[in-house]
Amino acid sequence: MADHAGHAAPTSTIGEFAHEVRSKNAGPFWVTMELFMRDAAGYRIAADEDVLNEQVVAELYQVDPNTVQIFRIPSLNVVKISFPRPVPQGSLHDRDMHSGQHHVPLALLPIPAGRES
């Protein structure tokens, strides 16, 4: 879709439909991220397997899609994602000991056109 000047229309991100997107340490070997969606409509977007699935997470975080776990919790409008840390927590090459910044690529994930409603 383009605007009147021919520029691509801005794409909504999953974070725009969330009350909070966070990541946290889930022990020395796992990262967990949570999408707390504002309402059921936002949850439907985040829970849609065509929008967010193991392959999408694997591409965002350069992990094996077979190691990604996604938990959809409709009663809370929450989607939880876990995957193994690339290196153990606190090891020499650990760049984010508390996994506090991992949520950013997820929050910026574009929503395909037509899925926002």
Side-chain angles (χ1 to χ4, degrees):
M1 182 183 296
D3 66 14
H4 66 280
H7 299 106
T11 302
S12 297
T13 64
I14 205 161
E16 293 175 40
F17 292 87
H19 173 69
E20 182 177 6
V21 180
R22 70 180 181 192
S23 54
K24 61 184 181 179
N25 177 27
F29 304 110
W30 286 86
V31 170
T32 292
M33 296 180 293
E34 296 160 329
L35 292 159
F36 294 89
M37 305 313 289
R38 293 185 190 281
D39 53 28
Y43 173 78
R44 280 191 297 277
I45 293 168
D48 185 336
E49 291 190 33
D50 290 332
V51 174
L52 183 60
N53 57 51
E54 291 81 359
Q55 187 61 43
V56 169
V57 173
E59 291 172 10
L60 283 175
Y61 295 97
Q62 272 95 71
V63 297
D64 180 348
N66 295 318
T67 65
V68 175
Q69 299 175 0
I70 299 178
F71 306 92
R72 293 169 176 88
I73 309 165
S75 61
L76 299 175
N77 292 332
V78 170
V79 175
K80 181 177 177 176
I81 301 165
S82 294
F83 56 84
R85 293 175 68 100
V87 297
Q89 180 186 24
S91 67
L92 179 63
H93 299 288
D94 186 7
R95 299 182 326 171
D96 188 359
M97 185 136 155
H98 299 289
S99 301
Q101 301 303 312
H102 282 66
H103 68 283
V104 175
L106 180 62
L108 297 176
L109 180 68
I111 297 171
R115 301 272 181 184
E116 292 109 349
S117 51

